Amino acid sequence: MLIEADLIIKNINQLITCRGGVKVREGLNDIGVLEGIDLACGDGKILYVGKNAFSEIPVKRDAVIINGENKIVMPGFVDAHTHLIYAGDRLADWKRRMSGFSYQEIGRKGSGIMSTVYLTREASEELLIDYAAKWLNIMIENGTTTVEIKSGYGLDFKNEIKILRVAKQLKEEGVLDVAITFLGAHAIPEEYKNDREAYIKLIIEEMLPYVKRENLAEFCDVFCDEGYFSIEESKRILKKAKGYGFKLKIHADELAYTGGAELAAELGAISAEHLIYISQEGINRLAEERTAAVLLPATSFFLKSQKPPVKKMKENGVILALGTDFNPGTAFCPSMLITIGLACYYYDMSIEEAINAATINSAYSIGLIDKLGSIEVGKQADILIFDVPDYSYLAYQFALCKPWKVIKKGKEIKTFRG
Ligand code: NIG
Ligand code: FE
């Protein structure tokens, strides 16, 4: 049966489509801008992109009609990397960092990830959902329509499962698309400090099979870095996860070079993330295996750390994606618009590169490229409308250029559960 349009955006000044699949090398500069165009949606999907929608396709009598003059329209942002579910804050850590201590020093002194773990273990599922909902609302306000969520602040069987159940509940509410990642290997918890092997066994033998059986996560990630999980440990965990059918992600080369990017490529991971200290070999291997590099500029900014070799990655054909890394310890920033701004000002990306990285390429990095990330007929109608005449305003008007409307599956949303 022919679907009738229930939403039409007329005469759009700039429609940024990001069409044509994943973007690499020079293609990363192509955001597929169309001018003076109509966009029609029906049944939550994109039905038509072209001139004169009213004469070209059937339109419902009560369809929503929006005037797109002087506006830009683009795909919703896909935040490819967050640690959304946690309790408390890390203000004490932040103060120490501002007085000169490094993230690693603070972690070694027993604060860092572990302090968030203690508070998260205490929190009920309801409380965690309330906290997450608050941040999701800020994400939506800033144009995020799809979000990846990692566990990793439980670090024992009961609490990792609790966090994944919270993520699953958020996913099932269907307000946003959610990709769930099991990150039981986020740190060795304090209780296992003198017996790392026992914690790794707990992950491999108990957590992974349970998470799989209960279908609580699609991806498995490991914090493979100096002071966290070694290359050998990460490889063991990820190989097991792959055997269970998880798709793989790796926190790689964030604090020091460890070869995490090479490992991601070797194991056929869908993404490697952070990559501040990635090697040339790591770059080559990610490009060869089409493992996406998820860049997290808010983290470098927040930690005042080095920047990854973004230009080199692009020139070598790596698929670049963007995420906020939203978490209380290293990136207390839920906004993809700030992330795009930082990608431009701090990581020296062009606005076009940042837009592709925050939409179509980040959709690739969480396995959703066939469904969303661009404005093309048949894709889900996840759309942002900005009341500005040119897409460069997204970075030009840093952090303040918020969407006028956020449309998810063809319907305007303002808040989570709103
Ligand atoms: O992505 N790198 C590991 N995880 C987070 C930090 C988590 C925390 O410090 O609480 C990150 O930077
Ligand atoms: Fe992270």
Side-chain angles (χ1 to χ4, degrees):
M1 204 189 73
L2 201 59
I3 301 168
E4 295 180 314
D6 50 28
L7 168 68
I8 300 212
I9 313 174
K10 279 288 301 165
N11 208 8
I12 299 163
N13 196 45
Q14 289 181 339
L15 175 67
I16 288 91
T17 61
C18 302
R19 65 188 175 186
V22 75
K23 306 286 187 296
V24 290
R25 297 183 196 273
E26 277 321 298
L28 195 62
N29 288 307
D30 179 9
I31 53 171
V33 181
L34 302 172
E35 293 183 350
I37 285 289
D38 296 350
L39 169 62
C41 309
D43 260 5
K45 294 208 170 135
I46 293 165
L47 288 183
Y48 177 79
V49 178
K51 300 266 183 196
N52 306 322
F54 285 99
S55 49
E56 296 294 329
I57 51 161
V59 178
K60 278 196 175 149
R61 280 178 52 190
D62 59 352
V64 175
I65 316 291
I66 298 172
N67 181 357
E69 278 171 38
N70 291 314
K71 310 244 184 323
I72 73 147
V73 174
M74 66 179 301
F77 298 132
V78 178
D79 186 344
H81 180 142
T82 81
H83 305 255
L84 176 71
I85 297 163
Y86 68 88
D89 67 27
R90 293 267 282 287
L91 183 60
D93 286 11
W94 183 82
K95 287 184 176 169
R96 274 179 223 138
R97 273 201 304 102
M98 289 297 122
S99 71
F101 288 98
S102 72
Y103 176 74
Q104 289 97 311
E105 282 169 319
I106 293 166
R108 279 195 296 270
K109 287 196 165 71
S111 192
I113 291 175
M114 224 32 229
S115 65
T116 301
V117 168
Y118 291 131
L119 294 169
T120 308
R121 284 177 179 172
E122 297 282 296
S124 66
E125 285 189 25
E126 294 68 39
L127 189 75
L128 292 175
I129 287 180
D130 284 352
Y131 279 6
K134 175 182 128 186
W135 294 115
L136 281 172
N137 284 337
I138 299 175
M139 289 177 172
I140 292 167
E141 213 178 277
N142 284 278
T144 297
T145 51
T146 297
V147 64
E148 186 259 13
I149 301 177
K150 299 177 197 295
S151 69
Y153 290 123
L155 305 190
D156 62 20
F157 186 90
K158 185 172 113 211
N159 288 293
E160 280 299 305
I161 300 307
K162 176 177 80 181
I163 292 169
L164 291 172
R165 284 198 204 287
V166 166
K168 194 167 178 186
Q169 189 172 329
L170 297 170
K171 179 178 172 133
E172 283 171 355
E173 292 193 25
V175 181
L176 301 179
D177 278 274
V178 175
I180 307 178
T181 301
F182 169 64
L183 179 57
H186 196 190
I188 298 282
E190 197 58 27
E191 324 74 273
Y192 287 92
K193 217 169 65 186
N194 299 318
D195 193 359
R196 306 174 64 84
E197 183 54 27
Y199 186 62
I200 293 169
K201 270 204 168 135
L202 180 68
I203 293 177
I204 289 177
E205 290 172 10
E206 293 179 40
M207 295 192 198
L208 280 174
Y210 186 86
V211 172
K212 190 67 206 170
R213 209 168 46 243
E214 296 293 307
N215 192 23
L216 291 171
E218 190 185 348
F219 301 95
C220 177
D221 193 345
V222 172
F223 189 9
C224 173
D225 221 310
E226 207 172 80
Y228 292 85
F229 290 84
S230 69
I231 283 282
E232 293 69 33
E233 291 167 342
S234 305
K235 191 168 177 173
R236 262 177 76 201
I237 296 167
L238 290 166
K239 273 180 104 168
K240 276 281 180 199
K242 192 172 179 177
Y244 282 120
F246 288 93
K247 292 180 208 151
L248 308 182
K249 293 180 163 285
I250 309 188
H251 273 70
D253 305 324
E254 175 186 1
L255 306 172
Y257 170 72
T258 63
E262 289 88 326
L263 178 62
E266 179 190 330
L267 297 177
I270 194 162
S271 64
E273 328 215 330
H274 287 285
L275 304 168
I276 311 285
Y277 297 97
I278 188 172
S279 68
Q280 182 61 51
E281 175 63 9
I283 293 176
N284 299 343
R285 296 286 295 124
L286 292 188
E288 273 164 23
E289 298 300 331
R290 294 176 76 74
T291 295
V294 177
L295 303 177
L296 306 157
T299 312
S300 309
F301 188 69
F302 200 79
L303 292 181
K304 302 189 202 175
S305 69
Q306 214 170 292
K307 307 167 195 185
V310 179
K311 189 160 175 264
K312 220 195 253 181
M313 286 194 239
K314 182 191 163 191
E315 284 168 359
N316 284 271
V318 177
I319 297 165
L320 300 179
L322 280 170
T324 57
D325 195 20
F326 176 67
N327 75 81
T330 66
F332 200 36
C333 165
S335 163
M336 281 299 280
L337 278 165
I338 293 179
T339 298
I340 286 171
L342 290 173
C344 295
Y345 290 109
Y346 196 60
Y347 274 14
D348 299 315
M349 292 171 81
S350 69
I351 180 66
E352 292 84 1
E353 291 168 348
I355 288 175
N356 274 322
T359 55
I360 189 75
N361 283 9
S362 42
Y364 172 88
S365 78
I366 56 168
L368 290 176
I369 194 166
D370 292 337
K371 175 172 155 187
L372 45 86
S374 60
I375 295 191
E376 291 175 277
V377 171
K379 277 209 172 173
Q380 191 162 285
D382 293 0
I383 296 165
L384 308 179
I385 309 178
F386 289 83
D387 190 10
V388 294
D390 189 284
Y391 62 81
S392 299
Y393 269 73
L394 265 56
Y396 172 43
Q397 203 182 23
F398 178 63
L400 288 176
C401 179
K402 300 222 175 158
W404 174 56
K405 285 186 191 299
V406 179
I407 293 164
K408 181 72 184 171
K409 295 180 202 156
K411 300 265 181 301
E412 184 173 357
I413 46 166
K414 286 195 166 28
T415 53
F416 182 74
R417 293 177 169 172

